Amino acid sequence: MAISFVRTIILYILVVFALRVMGKRQIGELQPSELVVAIMISDLATTPVSDINIPLLAGVIPILTLLVFEVVTSFANLKSEGFRNFLSGKPTVVIKNGVISQLELKKLRFSIEDLLEQLRLKGIFSISDVYMAILETNGELTVVEKSSKKPVTAEDLNLTVKQERIPLVIISDGKLRKEHLKESGFDEKWVMDTIKEYNIEKIEDVFIFSIDDDDKYTLQIKSKM
């Protein structure tokens, strides 16, 4: 049992390391070659875990080999457009000037229902609103709406608006985030004074305390379990 536990931890760390080296992407954003490598790495890692009679190196060496291969091909992608097109393919324009390219859809084996579904996921319910749509190599659809259908922005109206920022979490699960507190411009005394207004004596009793760019805060007490 101890041997199996140690082997599992080693392979887990190796697989996490391999995926980190490949980059921070979601599954849906992986290129075909990256997806293949990810699937093969997970499969190779499970074999030595499920059978302790198989040498650990039988999983480690192929995983490292795939990792090195992926890194090399990634650099080759950066240097050679031809190699990149061969390995990952090219983006395909499926709608141009508001007209659907039936030929490209046929080549991609992409039905009109698939296209409409992708548009709905982008919040677009009418093809007549689309000026151009490009199917990226990772399967994601990039859509450019017609100018007349785009929402009006503050810039269009020549309005000056304050830049929003991500709310800063000052207290998270009873722990004071000092780096966020410093960024907010307040101090610990202000924090204590604020939570005491809600009859909270200790920071440890706060579940979350965040503040936005208008200095409005959200406060929630830890539930008693």
Side-chain angles (χ1 to χ4, degrees):
M1 291 295 292
I3 294 175
S4 179
F5 175 78
V6 172
R7 288 160 66 98
T8 301
I9 295 300
I10 291 173
L11 287 168
Y12 169 78
I13 293 173
L14 181 60
V15 171
V16 170
F17 171 74
L19 294 178
R20 286 293 301 273
V21 170
M22 288 174 61
K24 296 182 178 180
R25 297 198 191 190
Q26 299 179 8
I27 294 298
E29 297 176 345
L30 293 177
Q31 297 293 338
S33 61
E34 294 171 333
L35 181 59
V36 169
V37 170
I39 292 173
M40 291 182 68
I41 285 177
S42 62
D43 188 54
L44 288 167
T46 56
T47 304
V49 170
S50 59
D51 188 353
I52 61 173
N53 294 318
I54 298 175
L56 185 61
L57 287 177
V60 172
I61 292 176
I63 289 174
L64 291 177
T65 302
L66 283 173
L67 180 59
V68 171
F69 177 76
E70 172 60 27
V71 172
V72 171
T73 54
S74 295
F75 279 110
N77 277 338
L78 293 174
K79 299 296 182 180
S80 172
E81 183 178 354
F83 183 78
R84 181 168 60 251
N85 292 339
F86 168 75
L87 200 63
S88 303
K90 296 189 295 184
T92 304
V93 178
V94 292
I95 299 179
K96 186 174 183 180
N97 297 329
V99 179
I100 299 174
S101 175
Q102 299 179 43
L103 179 61
E104 295 299 340
L105 288 183
K106 187 176 181 180
K107 288 180 181 178
L108 295 168
R109 297 185 297 279
F110 206 73
S111 69
I112 187 66
E113 286 77 16
D114 293 330
L115 179 60
L116 291 173
E117 179 182 353
Q118 289 286 335
L119 290 174
R120 288 195 296 272
L121 291 173
K122 297 289 184 180
I124 300 172
F125 298 91
S126 175
I127 292 179
S128 61
D129 294 343
V130 179
Y131 174 71
M132 180 174 289
I134 303 169
L135 190 64
E136 307 293 354
T137 55
N138 61 2
E140 184 77 15
L141 189 69
T142 300
V143 180
V144 178
E145 294 183 74
K146 292 180 178 178
S147 299
S148 59
K149 298 297 180 179
K150 290 182 179 180
V152 178
T153 65
E155 186 177 4
D156 295 330
L157 300 175
N158 293 321
L159 297 177
T160 301
V161 294
K162 183 180 178 181
Q163 177 62 50
E164 294 183 358
R165 73 181 184 196
I166 298 175
L168 298 171
V169 179
I170 307 299
I171 302 176
S172 174
D173 198 13
K175 296 180 180 179
L176 182 66
R177 305 286 296 276
K178 292 185 178 181
E179 68 279 10
H180 289 178
L181 179 60
K182 182 178 180 181
E183 188 177 344
S184 71
F186 294 99
D187 55 21
E188 291 190 37
K189 182 180 182 303
W190 175 82
V191 173
M192 294 304 302
D193 290 343
T194 302
I195 65 176
K196 283 180 180 179
E197 292 178 7
Y198 293 85
N199 297 320
I200 304 172
E201 296 298 327
K202 298 185 299 182
I203 289 176
E204 290 77 8
D205 295 333
V206 178
F207 180 66
I208 186 170
F209 179 31
S210 65
I211 183 170
D212 61 19
D213 53 345
D214 290 324
D215 293 339
K216 295 179 181 177
Y217 55 83
T218 300
L219 177 64
Q220 184 175 332
I221 305 172
K222 275 188 180 181
S223 60
K224 303 296 183 181
M225 293 183 157

